[in-house]
Every structure is written in structure tokens, then in C-alpha cells.
Amino acid sequence: MSERLRIGFIPLADAAALIVAVDKGFCAAEGLDVELVREISWANVRDKFNIGLFDAAHLLAPMAVASSLGIGHIKVPVISGFGLGVNGNAITVSPDLQAAIAAMAEGDVADPLVSARALARVVAERKALGLEPLIFGMTFPFSSHNYDLRFWMATGGVDPDEDVRLVVLPPPYMVESLANKHLDGFCVGAPWNSVAIDLGIGHILHFACELFQRAAEKMLAVRASWAEGHPDTLARLIRAHDRAAQFIEHEPNRDEVCSILTAPGRIEVTPELIRRTLDGRLKVSPDGRIRETDRYLLVGREAAARPDPVQGAWNYAQMVRWGQAPLSAELLAAAKAVFRPDLYDAAVGTPPILPIAPADGIGECTGTHFDPDDIAGYLSALSIRR
Amino acid sequence: MDPLLKIVIVDENPVRAGILTEGLREAGMTQITYLAATTNLLARIYEIDPDVILIDLENPSRDMLEQMFQVSRIVKRPIAMFVDQSDTASIQASVDAGVSAYIVDGLKKERMKHILDLCISRFNAFAHLETELHRARSALDDRKVIDRAKGILMKAKGLTEEQAYVLLRTAAMNEKKKIAEIAQSVVTASEMLK
């Protein structure tokens, strides 16, 4: 008899491994009868997962860390033996802001260091003219999108809490808010950036992978207590998702993968939008200009699925930087412990070949080396922090 | 309960919000504000400055509220969410029922427990109403299909309405099925034989 599991997810491209694992039968092959439940907000996924209505969940990596540390909400220790995606976000701005940044840029605006400094000049000019601060949308206080925007802005000297306004919006509302000028820009996962480009109301300024070479995006999370009681089920779950991730990355399967992902009850956008993300070939402006990268979203390549404790430390460092969490050795250890490569290795059998670059596992565009054992040292080098 | 407690209800479903409001009023609460639309939600909430926010779980604005609590924490206006970290049973019951409560810190836990219990029972009452409505609707659908099947049988076999009904009922008993199911198969068969 197969085991029944309920998994909550948000309709985004990085739910790919979850959806393919179920709809392509990889879960069933492991004796798992998984019901995927589509949710409307991250708070919903977290709450239903935390109290046990879901056995596992599609969680933002920082959310898994926050839940384990008990910051922002009730403390529920979470672990993950499988990463659903590395990278995958983009920063999109309105045509007006794009033009303003381009006009202020000294150098290639495709370089995040250049664009961030240009943003600082735009912000200063607006302040001098007495205009309202720019408003940027992101998806959750504990999200990569929040940290992506903050990191990028601070790199150019913009204080994200003082100089601009950051607001939370559910991903499907971002595009609408940019269109009606409630936002000047946003950071969100696929396919929402591409939706804005196709509507002609935005420009993709940066892929998140241009800010960091590797940033854990979403995790297949389970409660630590559940994992203890269900070690075999968890191993099977990891295996099924690893097969799904490999299937997604195998290029000849792309058409099939895109049609599975966009089916009713799943992501429900055109297959072409998802395809751009998986191929890393994205239209970045309404005039049809394309920017390519082989690392827009890593699902099963470059050991992306294998959880890396460095990512736990890095996410925790962002929380400390922005005043969401105090700095302590215990909290750092707890943040790292969310990411469990040992569970991945045990379930999959043969550990993947780990990428050699970036050397520190993150690869920040500013060239800062991240040391997971010295958060204080890392933060002391940054001028804008809380 | 303290009748001066300021409560905000955020729900896109006016019927459910009505049931909740009524329950809170019966419990003696006077300061209840109902926000149906989510536009400008944060500004409205800041303006009202409530002690408790009750929000429908499926409302996408929940993520926005969470940010508000983060910001508030920074401006030294501490806010706790749900009842208490240790009170997982209340949280589970509230999430199960489809309600989420956000509570300003400093509010007495016992007091909040009372409000939350009331919300849960009201939300469950609403769910019950919905099930009833669904049942009533499907009963109506059943009656329609039975009427159609009776009409078909009356015409095809020259029966009275009473006889047609007896025929359907006998078939249902023999087949151990519901009359509506037999009626549906009569309707389907007659469509196919047209």
C-alpha cells in the first residue's frame, strides 16, 4: 500500500520538481501517493505546514531558516534534504526607472555594481526634488527576494529601509502593481518577470544569478519531528524528487516538462513562459532583447538539489544584517542545521560532483568572500546594515 | 471580554464576516471594523490601530500583514502572532477552521483565547452552512433529474407520474442505487437513443 502525503506549494517555476515528481509518477514509483495542494500565500504554506496539515512544503529557503530559529513566527524546527532550486529570481523595473538608471549609469548597466550606484543617484535626485521614495515589491520578509533587493541596493549605497520603500505583495499581484504604477520595481521568481516584459510594462534589470552565483531559493522542507518519525518515507521523497529534477534538466524532455508544469491546477501560464526560465533565455525588455545565462535557475544541475549548510549561514547573515535576528553562535548553528546534505547523499546513494566555483559557495558580485563561521566579520565589512 | 477591544475583520466573503461580526457583538464587543477589500489594507489598519486582526486564511494579503508586523517590531510596537507559541492546539484549530488571528502583544492570552474560540466556532458554523447549501442545491438537482426521467418514462411507456416514480424507485431498490442515479441513467439513455 502506498503512503499518503500532502505537500503545499505556490505556483512558481521552482515548484517544477514537486510537480514533475507527482505528475510524471516518480513519487508513485517510490510508493508515495502525494497530493499537491496549491496555496495562495507563503504565510499559508508555512502555517499549514508548521501545524501538520502538510507533511512537506515548498518553502523559501529563508523561511525554512526563520521557522527553525523561531523568528517572525512560532518556532518549528525544519529540515531539508532536497533543494528545489538555486537562483531563479530577477529584478524588474518600470520603463521610467530603467531609463533613469541607464541615464545615471557610469559603465555597463548590466553590471549590478554599476546599476546599483546609478540607483543611488536616482534616489538622491528624487530626494533633492522632494519626490516620494521609490517603491519596490518583494514577496515576503523572510525571502530571497527581500535579500536580493536589499543586497543590490546597499551595494550602490542605497539604504533599503531609509531611501526607498519595500513592500510585500503576492507574486501574481506584482505585475498589476507595476502596471498601475504602485510599484517602481520588484524582485520575484519566474514566471512573473517575464509576464511583465510581455505586457510591455517592465524591463528585467538583473537576474538574481548576476548578484550571487549560487543562492538557495526554495527547499522541500519537512518538520524535524516528522523526519525523525519517517526516515524511510523522507528518503523515498528525496529520491523521487531527485529523479524529477534530473528529468527536468534533461533538455530533450523540456517540452513535456513545460506542458506538465502549466497544466490546470499547477502553474497555469503558457508553456513558453516557463520554457524561457528553464532554458535561461529570457526576454529582458519589451522590444524583445534577450539575455542568456546557463544559471538562471538550477534545478538538478551543479548539485543544486543537494542542500548546502553554507546557504543556511548566508541566509542567517542576511537576517542579522537587516535586523530580523540577533547574532549568536546557537542561531547560526541552527540555521546551518536546516540544510542536510547527509540526508540527500544517503537517499540518492551517489553524491553529485560538487561545483568548484564559487569557492565560498555563494559568489557575491561584490567579490566579498563569505565565511559561514564568521558572520560578524562578513557583516563588519558592510557599511549599510541594521 | 473587554468591549473596547478594537477588532478588525479582513474577509472577502461578506457572509462569513457577517457571521463573525454578529458573534463578536453578541459577546459584547463594540469596536469591530470590517474590511472587505484588500486595497490600501495596511493604511487602513494603521489608521484603525486594532488590538486584534482576524483574517481569512485564504487572503493573499496575509503576507503583507506579516511585513507590517516586522516593520512594527522595528518601530518598537511589538506584535505577536496567533495566541502563544506554546498554544499549538489553538493555532491548529484556527487554521483548520480557516481563520488566522494576529494579536497585538500585551493582550491577555485568556482573553484572546476566548475570541479565537468564538471565531473558530463561527467559522465552523459558516462551513456547516455552506455544506447545507451544497446539499440543498444537489437535492434540487436530484429533483430536477427525477422529474425529467419521470417525463421520459411517462411518454415512452404511457405511465402516470405516480407509476413512473414507482418504476424508478423499484429499479433503484433492486440496483441498490439512489433514485437520482437511476433517473440520471434514464435521461442519459434517452439522450443516446434520440
Side-chain angles (χ1 to χ4, degrees):
Chain A
M1 211 187 94
S2 71
E3 196 163 350
R4 297 216 59 182
L5 295 175
R6 294 182 86 214
I7 303 182
F9 78 104
I10 296 279
L12 288 167
D14 53 29
L18 287 167
I19 296 169
V20 169
V22 171
D23 293 355
K24 192 66 193 166
F26 295 114
C27 284
E30 289 286 343
L32 302 173
D33 176 13
V34 174
E35 182 196 350
L36 285 179
V37 184
R38 191 162 70 160
E39 286 294 342
I40 198 155
S41 72
W42 286 114
N44 248 19
V45 173
R46 178 203 58 199
D47 293 348
K48 291 186 179 178
F49 165 71
N50 278 355
I51 65 163
L53 288 178
F54 295 147
D55 302 290
H58 178 213
L59 279 196
L60 292 151
M63 201 173 206
V65 172
S67 178
S68 298
L69 305 186
I71 51 173
H73 203 252
I74 55 169
K75 179 175 176 173
V76 176
V78 167
I79 59 158
S80 175
F82 189 87
L84 290 167
V86 160
N87 305 336
N89 299 330
I91 296 173
T92 294
V93 296
S94 69
D96 288 349
L97 184 54
Q98 159 78 22
I101 289 176
M104 293 284 194
E106 285 175 357
D108 184 0
V109 79
D111 177 348
L113 301 178
V114 171
S115 66
R117 281 184 209 122
L119 177 75
R121 287 185 203 110
V122 173
V123 165
E125 190 186 46
R126 289 180 69 94
K127 212 176 263 179
L129 291 172
L131 296 172
E132 287 283 303
L134 295 168
I135 306 177
F136 288 84
M138 46 89 174
T139 62
F140 202 73
F142 300 103
S143 71
S144 47
H145 318 96
N146 186 17
Y147 303 143
D148 288 349
L149 278 176
R150 286 168 175 273
F151 178 91
W152 170 64
M153 290 172 177
T155 293
V158 174
D159 187 322
D161 292 314
E162 302 291 331
D163 302 331
V164 296
R165 281 180 54 207
L166 293 186
V167 296
V168 164
L169 278 177
Y173 294 8
M174 294 281 184
V175 174
E176 190 191 313
S177 303
L178 192 66
N180 60 28
K181 298 189 188 294
H182 288 154
L183 289 181
D184 298 291
F186 58 69
C187 180
V188 73
W192 300 106
N193 295 287
S194 293
V195 172
I197 305 306
D198 285 0
L199 287 173
I201 56 158
H203 291 252
I204 294 181
L205 197 59
H206 293 297
F207 300 159
C209 64
E210 293 163 2
L211 303 175
F212 322 106
Q213 288 174 54
R214 278 178 85 82
E217 179 54 38
K218 306 285 167 21
M219 308 307 293
L220 173 62
V222 295
R223 292 179 303 282
S225 57
W226 185 91
E228 254 170 53
H230 303 79
D232 181 55
T233 311
L234 179 55
R236 285 188 279 156
L237 200 58
I238 294 170
R239 242 181 339 259
H241 284 81
D242 201 53
R243 298 227 170 92
Q246 300 310 325
F247 185 84
I248 292 161
E249 294 288 18
H250 189 55
E251 218 273 323
N253 297 333
R254 282 286 153 81
D255 282 341
E256 187 184 350
V257 167
C258 291
S259 81
I260 291 172
L261 295 184
T262 52
R266 300 311 190 207
I267 308 179
E268 292 181 358
V269 292
T270 63
E272 196 264 335
L273 278 181
I274 299 288
R275 175 105 205 190
R276 285 187 217 168
T277 310
L278 294 177
D279 290 350
R281 239 181 87 79
L282 284 89
K283 221 191 273 179
V284 294
S285 86
D287 65 13
R289 231 166 352 106
I290 301 255
R291 200 185 299 172
E292 276 187 72
T293 167
D294 60 356
R295 35 191 329 104
Y296 185 86
L297 172 65
L298 307 177
V299 177
R301 281 172 296 143
E302 296 186 32
R306 187 178 191 264
D308 181 358
V310 169
Q311 299 286 347
W314 187 82
N315 273 297
Y316 173 60
Q318 308 310 306
M319 292 172 191
V320 177
R321 178 177 188 185
W322 301 118
Q324 293 177 319
L327 180 58
S328 85
E330 296 85 74
L331 291 180
L332 172 60
K336 284 188 197 167
V338 173
F339 293 72
R340 296 288 299 272
D342 56 323
L343 294 179
Y344 177 85
D345 293 347
V348 175
T350 44
I353 300 156
L354 300 178
I356 12 176
D360 66 354
I362 305 289
E364 292 185 358
C365 65
T366 51
T368 321
H369 182 85
F370 179 71
D371 179 354
D373 297 311
D374 182 18
I375 304 291
Y378 165 76
L379 293 177
S380 68
L382 303 166
S383 57
I384 299 177
R385 60 173 195 272
R386 296 285 83 80
Chain B
M1 270 189 277
D2 181 356
L4 294 176
L5 221 50
K6 277 188 273 181
I7 302 177
V8 162
I9 298 169
V10 186
D11 198 326
E12 279 169 357
N13 187 322
V15 179
R16 186 168 48 197
I19 290 177
L20 201 52
T21 310
E22 189 198 336
L24 290 166
R25 287 204 195 286
E26 277 170 20
M29 304 299 194
T30 52
Q31 304 219 44
I32 305 165
T33 313
Y34 165 49
L35 303 178
T38 53
T39 42
N40 221 6
L41 183 65
L42 293 190
R44 295 288 313 276
I45 288 178
Y46 274 125
E47 197 184 305
I48 297 163
D49 191 23
D51 299 297
V52 180
I53 301 163
L54 299 165
I55 183 166
D56 155 32
L57 204 67
E58 301 307 321
N59 196 313
S61 301
R62 287 192 59 211
D63 285 347
M64 258 184 259
L65 283 184
E66 302 247 340
Q67 184 200 20
M68 189 181 90
F69 301 138
Q70 293 260 315
V71 173
S72 300
R73 195 169 54 83
I74 291 164
V75 300
K76 308 260 181 292
R77 199 167 143 269
I79 291 180
M81 270 161 256
F82 285 119
V83 180
D84 184 279
Q85 196 146 309
S86 57
D87 198 359
T88 42
S90 287
I91 297 173
Q92 182 144 17
S94 114
V95 172
D96 264 336
V99 64
S100 204
Y102 292 99
I103 304 121
V104 175
D105 205 12
L107 188 64
K108 284 259 174 357
K109 183 183 161 186
E110 310 79 67
R111 219 187 261 165
M112 191 51 216
K113 174 108 180 72
H114 199 77
I115 295 178
L116 206 56
D117 284 347
L118 190 136
C119 288
I120 293 165
S121 68
R122 287 277 151 171
F123 264 56
N124 285 335
F126 175 75
H128 184 70
L129 259 182
E130 253 191 344
T131 320
E132 287 290 297
L133 190 66
H134 180 75
R135 215 176 276 155
R137 263 195 207 126
S138 64
L140 197 66
D141 288 348
D142 283 358
R143 225 173 49 215
K144 272 190 204 150
V145 75
I146 292 168
D147 281 346
R148 278 188 68 195
K150 278 195 295 192
I152 292 164
L153 291 177
M154 285 158 70
K155 203 165 149 199
K157 304 187 74 168
L159 303 177
T160 64
E161 188 177 346
E162 172 76 27
Q163 287 168 323
Y165 185 74
V166 170
L167 188 59
L168 284 171
R169 199 183 56 197
T170 315
M173 280 161 68
N174 290 342
E175 304 260 323
K176 291 194 173 58
K177 283 184 176 155
K178 284 161 70 181
I179 295 179
E181 285 175 60
I182 297 291
Q184 184 60 54
S185 47
V186 170
V187 172
T188 310
S190 100
E191 301 271 331
M192 288 170 79
L193 291 172
K194 254 180 197 166

